Amino acid sequence: MVELIANVNNAINGFVWGVPMLVLLVGTGILMTILTKFFQLSHIGHWFKNTVGGIFHDQHVTKHTDADDQSISQFQSLCTALAATIGTGNIVGVASALVAGGPGAIFWMWIVAFFGMMTNYSENVLGIYYRRKNFKGEWSGGAMYYLKDGLGSYKGCKQIGAVLAVLFSAFCLLASFGIGNMSQVNSIAANMTSAFSIPATVTGIVLVIIGALVIVGGLKRIAAVTEKLVPFMAIAYVIGALVIFFANIGHVGAVFTAIFKGAFGLRAVGGGIVGSGVKLALTWGMKRGVFSNEAGLGSSVMVHSSSNVKEPVRQGMWGIFEVFADTMVVCTLTAFAVLSSGLIDLDTGAVLVDVSGSALVGQAFATVFGSFGPAFIAIAILLFAFSTVLGWSHYGSKACEYLFGTKSTIVYKVVFVLMIFIGCTMNLGLAWDLSDTFNGLMAIPNLIGVIALSPVVMKITKNYVARIIKKEDVKPMLSVFPEIQEEQEKAM
């Protein structure tokens, strides 16, 4: 029976993370990029100023909402989304892409991220546009809502929209236990054992207690933790990686040459055919790129939709920044640290040391920081992975709410917290493989929704550009529901 499940899962997984799916993911990004007239490039100054720039000069971005207001600030929504996005994929995923696909994989990771920015942007725009409030006064938005109310509003698509919304929620719920919980805490437990010889049961008990205190407290408490944790861990990691960058500044040219040569196969690969090298670099770069920044999976929309923002495009711009921060900054620095430290032969892409995954990054850091390097990476993984668990607990509870109603979420949260202990103490290879598949399956209904509703994204973007950038007098498009549209217009 177990073998049968494993075989079926491998077949589905091969499809979900295979070439057709990567084409769909990147294709959606290209489509949205063209429809919005390369928004991520043509308005780069604007989205930078209104996202990161806004943290320093616009108090609306970081200001906390009142106690009775169930939404969270824009900055908190970014931090909670980044908490879930910047995970072990940025350390372990990048290392495995380099090992399997060579330095060229990084180039394709960048390409995926460039177009992924607009996929993420579109998801957020739709998330805000189709969101509604539940009886607790919390915003509920996400792929399930724009599938049901957006796609479902098209002629003859009512059933399709409703079915896809349920499928998306079911996949999300199942993925949240694996990718969003057990596979993360398992890497924490393994790292704590190897770096500080702390037994897995101890790690498990500690994480369950911390997890329970934060997760059961709901989104506002999760957001309060992530907005302090994420900037701290991301900045600390970036500084560590920059130290390596400047220590190996002489290798910059060689590293970039290796990345571009590898991406287009401009050298013989260990006696093999050149074409196969390109294919490996391409698939691994894309796979890890998507896995790391989650653009197209429809996951981070659920927390972005809880932001106290009025403008869909504003939250969309945070989506662009999220992919930028995750892949262009954090993943690139990890890759540079590994490639410039002499652990990988830049000419052939062969790994010269007998380690993989996080240990490879740990060794790269050790070339500059000595024995402190691997410990630094172990702590980074602890923070990255645990913050992912916090972010995903919200995604899962939103999916659970959609399927079983708002009252069911407390049951979900209790089960989720108990799963942390199981994840720490057991190695559940099959459970993660299944979860990896469900995570990929989330993309299918979500991308159908994004592509079907691309005219809506285009309209909202045009409307925003006309109003805010060209200063024309046009009625804003804030929500598909007239009562929310009215309420938000007044609030502006």
Side-chain angles (χ1 to χ4, degrees), residues 49-65:
K49 192 178 101 207
N50 284 297
T51 52
V52 198
I55 297 171
F56 304 107
H57 68 75
D58 181 358
Q59 43 144 25
H60 289 305
V61 171
T62 49
K63 198 176 80 172
H64 286 198
T65 51

Side-chain angles (χ1 to χ4, degrees), residues 133-446:
K133 283 193 165 155
N134 64 14
F135 74 82
K136 288 189 193 161
E138 299 170 341
W139 283 115
S140 293
M144 49 283 214
Y145 294 97
Y146 54 75
L147 282 165
K148 183 168 168 280
D149 299 324
L151 180 63
S153 69
Y154 285 173
K155 199 177 167 199
C157 293
K158 195 166 184 211
Q159 261 68 40
I160 303 176
V163 171
L164 287 175
V166 169
L167 280 176
F168 176 83
S169 305
F171 295 148
C172 175
L173 192 62
L174 291 162
S176 73
F177 290 118
I179 230 105
N181 181 335
M182 295 195 291
S183 54
Q184 301 289 340
V185 293
N186 192 278
S187 57
I188 296 180
N191 261 299
M192 288 293 126
T193 311
S194 70
F196 309 109
S197 34
I198 299 170
T201 36
V202 177
T203 310
I205 292 166
V206 174
L207 290 180
V208 165
I209 294 169
I210 303 173
L213 289 172
V214 181
I215 292 167
V216 180
L219 178 62
K220 286 200 98 161
R221 193 173 303 166
I222 295 174
V225 173
T226 56
E227 76 168 340
K228 297 175 187 66
L229 181 61
V230 171
F232 166 73
M233 71 179 195
I235 290 167
Y237 183 73
V238 165
I239 289 173
L242 280 174
V243 170
I244 296 183
F245 178 84
F246 287 115
N248 298 330
I249 195 100
H251 298 296
V252 174
V255 169
F256 280 104
T257 310
I259 290 176
F260 287 110
K261 272 190 174 169
F264 301 105
L266 301 174
R267 44 143 211 255
V269 182
I273 311 159
V274 174
S276 66
V278 177
K279 186 164 180 277
L280 274 176
L282 186 79
T283 23
W284 274 99
M286 289 192 169
K287 226 173 146 163
R288 286 300 143 202
V290 171
F291 185 74
S292 158
N293 63 43
E294 293 185 17
L297 297 183
S299 46
S300 65
V301 198
M302 292 177 257
V303 64
H304 279 295
S305 300
S306 301
S307 150
N308 63 353
V309 75
K310 311 284 181 286
E311 290 270 8
V313 173
R314 260 256 156 146
Q315 207 58 41
M317 295 190 291
W318 283 105
I320 298 180
F321 176 73
E322 183 194 331
V323 176
F324 174 81
D326 177 88
T327 310
M328 301 288 187
V329 179
V330 181
C331 287
T332 304
L333 283 169
T334 304
F336 187 85
V338 174
L339 290 173
S340 66
S341 57
L343 303 175
I344 289 185
D345 182 333
L346 292 178
D347 287 328
T348 59
V351 185
L352 306 175
V353 281
D354 187 27
V355 289
S356 65
S358 60
L360 183 64
V361 186
Q363 279 212 305
F365 273 67
T367 56
V368 174
F369 295 114
S371 59
F372 175 63
F376 178 79
I377 293 298
I379 293 168
I381 285 190
L382 165 73
L383 296 175
F384 281 23
F386 191 64
S387 70
T388 297
V389 174
L390 296 180
W392 266 93
S393 73
H394 177 66
Y395 300 164
S397 76
K398 279 293 170 203
C400 185
E401 171 185 65
Y402 184 81
L403 292 169
F404 309 111
T406 310
K407 291 200 169 89
S408 67
T409 53
I410 188 70
V411 181
Y412 167 82
K413 286 173 186 166
V414 171
V415 174
F416 188 87
V417 169
L418 294 175
M419 287 291 211
I420 294 179
F421 186 73
I422 298 172
C424 281
T425 49
M426 291 181 197
N427 187 2
L428 304 162
L430 180 63
W432 300 342
D433 292 345
L434 284 169
S435 156
D436 190 38
T437 306
F438 289 127
N439 193 18
L441 282 170
M442 286 167 66
I444 297 174
N446 177 51

Side-chain angles (χ1 to χ4, degrees), residues 15-48:
F15 170 75
V16 172
W17 291 108
V19 177
M21 197 55 198
L22 291 174
V23 170
L24 183 63
L25 277 159
V26 180
T28 307
I30 294 174
L31 173 76
M32 299 319 298
T33 300
I34 293 167
L35 289 179
T36 57
K37 301 182 181 154
F38 284 82
F39 188 91
Q40 73 272 55
L41 269 186
S42 55
H43 296 295
I44 186 164
H46 182 76
W47 65 257
F48 239 96

Side-chain angles (χ1 to χ4, degrees), residues 460-474:
I460 296 172
T461 308
K462 257 191 187 147
N463 175 289
Y464 177 87
V465 171
R467 265 186 9 254
I468 306 292
I469 299 175
K470 297 182 179 160
K471 304 276 187 263
E472 292 169 17
D473 186 22
V474 205

